[in-house]
Amino acid sequence: QVQLVESGGGLVQAGGSLRLSCAASGSIFSINAMGWYRQAPGKQRELVAAITSGGSTNYADSVKGRFTISRDNAKNTVYLQMNALKPEDTGVYYCNARLSPGGWGLYDYWGQGTQVTVSS
């Protein structure tokens, strides 16, 4: 069984910073990509940033230059450093991992979500 456990959300003023962490554990053969998604009230879940096992990254246009995604492959952990936060960054942030639990096939796993609230 695979689990993704997130931490680091909270309440911050506009212009502030937060760092999210997500650790994957359990029966994991390999992890392909890991990423962060967010869902604001009344909106669909959207990709914020993603990173491959080789370190290639992809960001939503709205966070480029402010957010940085990184990962520690040895710890099966992905991080999201969020700087210059804006009220529109508010939402529930979900960790995603595309991984192979048994050495065959790739499957998407999700964390439980962590709330990020940016006050103006």
Side-chain angles (χ1 to χ4, degrees), residues 1 3 7 18 20 31 35 40 46 49 58 65 70 73 78-79 81 83-84 93 96-97 104 109 113:
Q1 196 166 359
Q3 282 189 318
S7 61
L18 284 174
L20 305 182
I31 300 179
E46 63 175 356
N58 182 38
S70 60
N73 290 331
V78 64
Y79 307 96
Q81 178 66 44
N83 298 329
Y93 283 67
N96 169 269
W104 61 90
Y109 291 84

Side-chain angles (χ1 to χ4, degrees), residues 15-93:
S17 297
L18 284 174
R19 188 184 192 224
L20 305 182
S21 300
C22 171
S25 63
S27 178
I28 299 171
F29 180 80
S30 64
I31 300 179
N32 189 345
M34 300 186 79
W36 291 94
Y37 289 71
R38 70 185 177 194
Q39 188 165 18
K43 294 188 177 181
Q44 289 189 331
R45 190 175 298 188
E46 63 175 356
L47 174 68
V48 176
I51 185 168
T52 68
S53 57
S56 296
T57 59
N58 182 38
Y59 294 93
D61 288 342
S62 60
V63 306
K64 284 179 181 177
R66 300 187 298 122
F67 291 10
T68 302
I69 190 170
S70 60
R71 67 188 273 181
D72 184 333
N73 290 331
K75 295 182 179 180
N76 289 340
T77 299
V78 64
Y79 307 96
L80 184 68
Q81 178 66 44
M82 305 185 292
N83 298 329
L85 282 159
K86 304 176 181 180
E88 50 263 44
D89 294 317
T90 294
V92 179
Y93 283 67

